[in-house]
Amino acid sequence: MVKRKLTMVLLILSLLLAACSNDEQSAGNANGDATGSDTNKPVTLKVLVASDWLKEKKWQMVFDAYEKKTGNKLDIQSAPVNNYMDLVNTRIATKDAPDLLFYWGQEAKIKQLQPEKNLVDLSNEEFASRITPSVKNYFLSTGDKLYGIPVTGLNVSGVIYNKQVFSDLGIEIPKTYEEFLAVCEKIKASGIMPLYEAGKEGWPLQLYTFSAMASVINKQPDVMDKINAHQVTFDQVPEYVNTLQKQQELLQKGYLNEDLFSATLDMSLEAISTGKAAMIFQADWEIDPILTKYPDAQIGMFPLPWNDDAYAGISDPIGLYALNNSENSSAAQEFLKFFASEEVLNDYFNTVKSIPTWTGLTVDLNPGTADMNAYVEEGKAVPFFNALTVVEIGDYQGLLQQMYGGTMSPEQVAQNLQSNIDKAAKAAGIAGF
């Protein structure tokens, strides 16, 4: 009998001890300090970014702030931009994908990643509503799903001008294209170079049509959809061919520098900063380099007037994406939320001084960029047309160099541009091509 009672007492004590142990463990879990819990261990997130972007952008301040706040580490891996897309696709296909991916914002490029399968859908996140409409309407998504957040500002194309030259000659900012030509003529008559083009490097030659086409696309919102569906071709769009004709006309009228084909970007920035030239066709990404090297330069910026209207061309921002099949997917998504916090965004954009791709920020912008921000805020901004094509447009700058050199007409440039697109679309298996 005694033995039986003793057994029952021991059983009751065992049950009570087990219950206490469970209660303590539950309390520990609720407070987030359970012994041995993996949730509190620091993680290392693999981040893949093009090395070219890493040099130009000031993301390191965000990386450092994140590591300091969370205790997590970021393993920054980079590769040259010229084969970046192939590398990204290979790493995803071989199950060697990063946790976080810096990548282009264009829909055509996002589709190549099979986003439904490989990228985290961010559409329902709180921060999605704070991305500026000019970005959300065109970039970082495909269909009705948002896959990335913008991690650069909006760069805006137009005309960077020397304010002192304009003031000395009594010139006001032109509101129409006819006024723009009249301004060029007046500057030429004064002995100053009206426009400076960096023809040797080639890529700056694209900024003229990128700017002009912003106004064309505004007037014809479906023109790029028709081109992407192969219902019309670039050479069948008179308004586009007209932009090329007007660009060629600037050379014919003597408004461009005589050393066009040997001129570099640095030479164009020196010319505009020192008043050797009055204007350059450029994007505001060159304003910071100008002010760094020529801090006393008096520069401003205005959209290229077109069709009695002025619309700014905007480049697609670089996006940041979280990978679906990552072992650290939750931590990767938390990094996106960290980057998208108002405090981080304000610090970042006030450092890079570019037009924010997020609403609700107060940013001190460089002169010129501040001029163009008014157009973006008014909704008078349209992406560069090459950001809206279904595939890459190929060597467009080479075509423009040939046009300036007199070996290709504007009509032939349009035909060859379309040929580039047709070949790339067929190779990608896009319907209609």
Side-chain angles (χ1 to χ4, degrees):
M1 185 72 175
V2 173
K3 182 177 180 180
R4 193 171 174 185
K5 288 182 178 180
L6 181 61
T7 301
M8 291 184 67
V9 169
L10 290 173
L11 178 62
I12 292 170
L13 286 173
S14 176
L15 292 172
L16 287 171
L17 287 171
C20 290
S21 176
N22 287 337
D23 288 343
E24 289 175 1
Q25 186 174 7
S26 297
N29 287 338
N31 292 320
D33 54 32
T35 303
S37 172
D38 290 337
T39 58
N40 293 320
K41 289 183 178 180
V43 300
T44 298
L45 296 175
K46 292 184 292 184
V47 183
L48 185 59
V49 56
S51 54
D52 307 61
W53 303 341
L54 201 58
K55 293 176 184 176
E56 297 172 5
K57 309 302 175 183
K58 299 180 180 179
W59 293 316
Q60 191 61 49
M61 61 176 290
V62 181
F63 298 159
D64 292 343
Y66 171 77
E67 290 185 339
K68 182 178 180 180
K69 181 175 182 179
T70 65
N72 293 338
K73 299 296 180 183
L74 299 173
D75 176 15
I76 309 299
Q77 304 169 1
S78 62
V81 73
N82 58 352
N83 64 348
Y84 188 64
M85 185 182 297
D86 291 338
L87 173 68
V88 170
N89 281 306
T90 298
R91 289 191 58 171
I92 290 176
T94 57
K95 310 300 182 185
D96 186 30
D99 302 304
L100 290 162
L101 174 67
F102 284 81
Y103 194 74
W104 292 277
Q106 300 169 20
E107 182 178 15
K109 290 185 175 179
I110 294 172
K111 285 182 176 179
Q112 295 188 27
L113 300 181
Q114 301 181 57
E116 299 86 354
K117 176 183 177 183
N118 296 313
L119 303 180
V120 174
D121 180 3
L122 307 174
S123 306
N124 296 320
E125 296 290 346
E126 174 276 330
F127 54 68
S129 65
R130 293 189 282 110
I131 300 173
T132 58
S134 55
V135 172
K136 282 187 70 175
N137 290 344
Y138 294 106
F139 304 120
L140 304 168
S141 62
T142 178
D144 58 351
K145 294 183 178 179
L146 177 73
Y147 289 106
I149 64 168
V151 290
T152 57
L154 281 179
N155 287 120
V156 190
S157 69
V159 183
I160 297 178
Y161 72 103
N162 187 296
K163 289 184 175 181
Q164 190 63 53
V165 171
F166 271 47
S167 176
D168 290 346
L169 297 178
I171 295 173
E172 295 184 356
I173 294 174
K175 303 299 183 184
T176 68
Y177 196 75
E178 289 70 25
E179 289 180 3
F180 175 74
L181 293 178
V183 165
C184 290
E185 190 63 36
K186 185 172 184 177
I187 295 170
K188 178 185 175 184
S190 76
I192 297 174
M193 190 184 305
L195 293 157
Y196 199 104
E197 284 275 43
K200 182 177 180 179
E201 296 188 34
W203 68 262
L205 305 181
Q206 302 172 109
L207 274 301
Y208 180 93
T209 48
F210 287 169
S211 299
M213 282 296 289
S215 294
V216 172
I217 294 171
N218 173 61
K219 297 285 187 182
Q220 301 180 49
D222 63 344
V223 66
M224 293 308 301
D225 291 334
K226 290 179 178 179
I227 288 173
N228 289 334
H230 212 235
Q231 295 172 358
V232 297
T233 56
F234 270 103
D235 53 300
Q236 295 171 344
V237 179
E239 293 82 1
Y240 169 68
V241 176
N242 184 42
T243 67
L244 296 170
Q245 292 168 338
K246 287 184 175 178
Q247 183 175 11
Q248 184 185 53
E249 184 183 49
L250 296 175
L251 178 63
Q252 296 168 342
K253 287 180 175 291
Y255 297 154
L256 303 182
N257 44 306
E258 293 182 357
D259 61 348
L260 171 66
F261 294 105
S262 61
T264 64
L265 174 65
D266 286 343
M267 292 167 66
S268 72
L269 301 187
E270 179 188 10
I272 191 67
S273 301
T274 59
K276 294 178 182 177
M279 299 176 286
I280 58 174
F281 300 120
Q282 240 329 319
D284 72 314
W285 56 55
E286 296 300 342
I287 290 178
D288 193 56
I290 287 174
L291 296 176
T292 298
K293 192 169 183 179
Y294 306 96
D296 296 328
Q298 298 296 310
I299 58 169
M301 192 170 181
F302 59 87
L304 177 65
W306 203 263
N307 296 333
D308 300 333
D309 200 4
Y311 263 69
I314 54 175
S315 66
D316 57 307
I318 294 171
L320 180 61
Y321 306 80
L323 277 294
N324 246 342
N325 299 319
S326 161
E327 292 181 358
N328 297 312
S329 181
S330 295
Q333 292 176 60
E334 287 301 316
F335 180 82
L336 296 183
K337 293 178 182 178
F338 175 82
F339 202 122
S341 66
E342 185 173 342
E343 179 182 359
V344 171
L345 291 173
N346 265 315
D347 288 345
Y348 173 73
F349 281 101
N350 276 293
T351 298
V352 298
K353 296 187 182 300
S354 60
I355 295 174
T357 42
W358 300 78
T359 61
L361 304 181
T362 302
V363 179
D364 181 22
L365 297 173
N366 283 327
T369 298
D371 298 336
M372 299 298 287
N373 188 37
Y375 291 87
V376 174
E377 290 181 341
E378 291 173 18
K380 301 184 72 173
V382 173
F384 297 168
F385 76 80
N386 70 320
L388 301 177
T389 51
V390 70
V391 290
E392 297 290 314
I393 65 174
D395 184 18
Y396 185 46
Q397 65 187 50
L399 300 179
L400 296 175
Q401 285 173 319
Q402 291 181 70
M403 183 183 75
Y404 271 147
T407 60
M408 190 174 286
S409 69
E411 292 77 12
Q412 289 172 321
V413 170
Q415 291 166 4
N416 279 273
L417 171 61
Q418 187 63 49
S419 179
N420 290 345
I421 292 172
D422 290 349
K423 290 175 183 176
K426 287 176 183 177
I430 296 175
F433 286 86

